[in-house]
Amino acid sequence: MKSLLVLSHCILNTASKVMQDEAELADEYQTRDRLLKLILQKNVQLLQLPCPEFTLYGSRRWGHVKNQFQHPYFRKASKDMLEPILLQLEEYDRHPEDFSVLGIVSVEGSPSCGYYCTCTGEWKGEIGTDPAHISKMQSTLKMSDKSGVFMELLKEQLEARKLSIPIMTMEETIEALKLI
């Protein structure tokens, strides 16, 4: 039997992330390294989710918050991107004697791919040059105990298709892989 994991895009391709100070990502990258080593050690097969942010906004985008992605076009484009992955998951699910989909791995804090935690706030595009205005907008930013838009849609689609696949953080996935 082959075991599979579905990974958020930037776990395998960190070049798709919003450009930022790499030092701020040190903890995430250490967790990622532990996860990928364990995946190779356990011979787990991988499916990579698309990155809706990179696909829709490119490599030169600024950081966004969940509030900015809660609009009909982003949601429809995300559903369209998820469709080929969902069809593959349905096929694997049809053959439980051959395949076990262990889970989907989130990237916490992401406005798209966070599952337990996402960034929210009243960030609305052009910030101008007025320090007071910038400070006011930044003060609304917070990490929220909610899912990002892409993960919300993925969970809805899994439920609609009666696919029982857990969505886990990288840390949860590491712990689950230690048990197989």
Side-chain angles (χ1 to χ4, degrees), residues 7 9 18 26 35 57 79 91 99 107 135 144 160 162 170:
L7 301 181
H9 188 89
V18 168
L35 173 63
Y57 303 114
K79 281 182 184 178
E91 176 62 14
F99 306 106
V107 175
S135 180
S144 175
K162 297 185 179 14
M170 285 192 277

Side-chain angles (χ1 to χ4, degrees), residues 83-114:
E83 186 61 22
I85 299 294
L86 289 160
L87 291 171
Q88 290 176 64
L89 293 174
E90 285 180 324
E91 176 62 14
Y92 289 126
D93 189 64
R94 289 180 58 223
H95 302 285
E97 68 283 357
D98 296 325
F99 306 106
S100 172
V101 180
L102 302 173
I104 297 165
V105 187
S106 65
V107 175
E108 295 308 290
S110 166
S112 295
C113 290

Side-chain angles (χ1 to χ4, degrees), residues 3 8 14 29 35 37 39 51 54-56 61 77 81-82 89 95 103 106 122 131-132 134 138 141 150 156 165 168:
S3 296
S8 292
T14 61
Y29 284 3
L35 173 63
K37 285 175 184 164
I39 286 169
C51 176
F54 187 88
T55 301
L56 295 171
R61 69 192 183 278
M81 286 180 226
L82 284 169
L89 293 174
H95 302 285
S106 65
E122 294 304 314
I134 294 168
Q138 287 175 329
L141 303 178
F150 202 63
E156 288 171 14
I165 302 170
M168 306 178 285

Side-chain angles (χ1 to χ4, degrees), residues 45-172:
Q45 308 308 302
L46 301 174
L47 261 169
Q48 184 180 25
L49 289 171
C51 176
E53 295 175 47
F54 187 88
T55 301
L56 295 171
Y57 303 114
S59 65
R60 304 248 178 219
R61 69 192 183 278
W62 62 80
H64 289 81
V65 294
K66 178 179 179 178
N67 311 53
Q68 291 171 294
F69 296 150
Q70 292 178 306
H71 61 85
Y73 182 79
F74 188 88
R75 293 178 62 83
K76 179 177 182 332
S78 293
K79 281 182 184 178
D80 292 346
M81 286 180 226
L82 284 169
E83 186 61 22
I85 299 294
L86 289 160
L87 291 171
Q88 290 176 64
L89 293 174
E90 285 180 324
E91 176 62 14
Y92 289 126
D93 189 64
R94 289 180 58 223
H95 302 285
E97 68 283 357
D98 296 325
F99 306 106
S100 172
V101 180
L102 302 173
I104 297 165
V105 187
S106 65
V107 175
E108 295 308 290
S110 166
S112 295
C113 290
Y115 187 61
Y116 297 109
C117 176
T118 191
C119 186
T120 61
E122 294 304 314
W123 201 248
K124 296 179 183 169
E126 186 60 50
I127 59 173
T129 58
D130 176 14
H133 177 70
I134 294 168
S135 180
K136 183 179 176 186
M137 279 198 301
Q138 287 175 329
S139 72
T140 72
L141 303 178
K142 65 179 181 174
M143 288 300 181
S144 175
D145 297 337
K146 297 179 181 174
S147 295
V149 174
F150 202 63
M151 284 294 156
E152 277 180 350
L153 293 168
L154 179 54
K155 184 176 183 202
E156 288 171 14
Q157 289 299 308
L158 291 171
E159 290 171 357
R161 295 165 193 244
K162 297 185 179 14
L163 294 171
S164 182
I165 302 170
I167 301 175
M168 306 178 285
T169 66
M170 285 192 277
E171 292 86 354
E172 289 172 329

